[in-house]
Amino acid sequence: MPQNRKAATLSHEHDTWNDNDESNTKLPWPDEIMKNDPTSSATLCARTSCWIHAIYNRWTYSYMNRIFKKGALQKNNKSAETQLTQNDLYSIPTTMKASVLGSKFWKKYNEQQQLQQKDNKNAFFKTLWYLVAPTFVPAGMCQIVALTSQILVPICVMQLLSALEDHAASSLSGDQNTSNLFHDTILYVILIFILSIINGFCTHRYQFLSYQSGIVIRTAVTSAIYEKSLSLSPKGKEGLTSGNVTNLVATDTQKLFEVMHYWAIFF
C-alpha cells in the first residue's frame, strides 16, 4: 500500500515536471498570456485594450493565424524551418492539465462524500459538474443564442418577402401612395445580416466550449482512475482485471466526452 502511494506520487511529480518542461518550449495558452500581462494592471487604457484584445482572440481565434501562416509556407518551401512541429502549438492551459484536474477531482469528491454521507454516485456526478460547469454552462448559453438566431432569420426573411410582395402589388395596381421600398425592407436586411453573424460566432464558440468540457471531464476521470488503481490494496484489486481498467479509460471516459457535445438535446 505505501509503495503504491509512493508510485502514484512519483508519477504525479513526473507529470508535473513534463508539464513545466513543455511550457518552457511552447508559447503559453493565449488566455493565460492576457491574464499574466503586466501591462493589464498599469492604466485604465491598458486594461481596456487588453480586455478588448482578449475578447477578439476568444471569439475569432486569431491566435491560430501564426500556425496557419507557417503551415501555408510548406506549399512552396519544403525546408525544415517551415515544417510544423509540436513546439509550434500552444501549451496546454494550466486549468486543463492532468495534474491540476486530478487534484481538483479528488478534493471535490472527498468533500461531496462527506456531505452526501458516503453516497458515491451523487458525489461523483456533482464533482464532474463542478469541473465542467465553467465551460459547459457558457456553451449552453451560446447554443441558446445560436438557436434563437436560427429561428429569427426565417421570420425576418418572411417579413422581407411580404414587404416585397406588397410593394409589387401596389405598383401593379397603380397606387400613387406606394411607400418607399428601401425604407420598408432595409430593417429586415440588416437584421438578417446581424443574426447570421451572431449565429456563426455563437455556434463556433459553443462547439469550442463543448469540446473543452469533454476534454476536461475525460482527463479528470482518466487521471482519477489511474491514481485509484495505483492506490488499491491487494484485497481491493480482487476481481479487478486490467481489461476492466482499460474499458473504463478507453470506453467510458470517451462516452462522457461525447455527452458534452449534445447541449442541443435540452432544447
Side-chain angles (χ1 to χ4, degrees):
M1 182 71 173
Q3 293 180 351
N4 290 334
R5 286 289 185 183
K6 184 177 181 180
T9 303
L10 291 175
S11 176
H12 174 79
E13 292 176 352
H14 179 70
D15 291 342
T16 304
W17 181 85
N18 284 339
D19 290 340
N20 293 334
D21 181 67
E22 178 189 18
S23 62
N24 290 330
T25 58
K26 297 181 179 180
L27 289 176
W29 188 251
D31 287 346
E32 295 181 352
I33 295 176
M34 296 302 169
K35 291 179 181 178
N36 300 327
D37 188 358
T39 62
S40 61
S41 58
T43 62
L44 178 61
C45 182
R47 289 198 300 269
T48 304
S49 177
C50 183
W51 181 71
I52 294 174
H53 185 58
I55 293 178
Y56 177 78
N57 274 337
R58 188 169 296 174
W59 285 89
T60 63
Y61 312 101
S62 60
Y63 51 80
M64 295 299 296
N65 291 341
R66 178 182 62 86
I67 299 175
F68 294 150
K69 288 179 180 178
K70 184 174 181 180
L73 295 176
Q74 299 179 16
K75 184 176 181 180
N76 299 321
N77 188 352
K78 302 297 183 180
S79 62
E81 291 77 10
T82 62
Q83 300 302 311
L84 286 171
T85 64
Q86 289 187 354
N87 290 334
D88 293 316
L89 301 177
Y90 292 99
S91 299
I92 299 173
T94 303
T95 55
M96 295 181 65
K97 291 182 178 180
S99 57
V100 175
L101 290 173
S103 61
K104 283 185 177 181
F105 177 90
W106 285 116
K107 180 180 179 181
K108 192 66 178 179
Y109 182 74
N110 292 331
E111 292 177 358
Q112 290 297 325
Q113 270 193 320
Q114 296 176 359
L115 294 175
Q116 299 294 328
Q117 298 179 350
K118 305 299 181 179
D119 189 350
N120 295 335
K121 186 175 181 180
N122 287 337
F124 177 73
F125 285 115
K126 288 187 176 181
T127 302
L128 294 184
W129 176 252
Y130 167 78
L131 293 175
V132 302
T135 52
F136 193 61
V137 172
M141 297 176 66
C142 290
Q143 178 69 351
I144 291 175
V145 175
L147 288 175
T148 303
S149 301
Q150 294 172 11
I151 294 172
L152 292 177
V153 167
I155 296 175
C156 292
V157 171
M158 182 179 65
Q159 295 295 327
L160 175 62
L161 294 176
S162 177
L164 291 174
E165 291 176 354
D166 293 343
H167 186 273
S170 300
S171 300
L172 292 175
S173 62
D175 189 356
Q176 299 297 326
N177 296 324
T178 303
S179 59
N180 192 318
L181 178 63
F182 177 81
H183 291 95
D184 291 343
T185 58
I186 187 60
L187 176 62
Y188 302 117
V189 173
I190 293 175
L191 284 175
I192 293 171
F193 176 73
I194 294 176
L195 290 172
S196 298
I197 292 178
I198 293 175
N199 178 38
F201 275 107
C202 290
T203 298
H204 285 290
R205 190 64 185 169
Y206 147 72
Q207 293 174 350
F208 175 82
L209 292 174
S210 295
Y211 274 100
Q212 195 173 32
S213 300
I215 292 171
V216 166
I217 199 171
R218 184 174 61 182
T219 303
V221 174
T222 301
S223 177
I225 293 172
Y226 175 72
E227 185 175 347
K228 186 66 175 179
S229 63
L230 290 177
S231 61
L232 285 175
S233 63
K235 184 177 180 180
K237 293 180 180 179
E238 292 181 358
L240 181 65
T241 64
S242 59
N244 296 135
V245 178
T246 302
N247 286 335
L248 287 173
V249 173
T251 304
D252 295 346
T253 58
Q254 179 63 25
K255 291 179 180 178
L256 291 174
F257 173 80
E258 294 172 354
V259 165
M260 296 294 102
H261 304 161
Y262 299 120
W263 243 114
I265 63 177
F266 297 105
F267 309 110

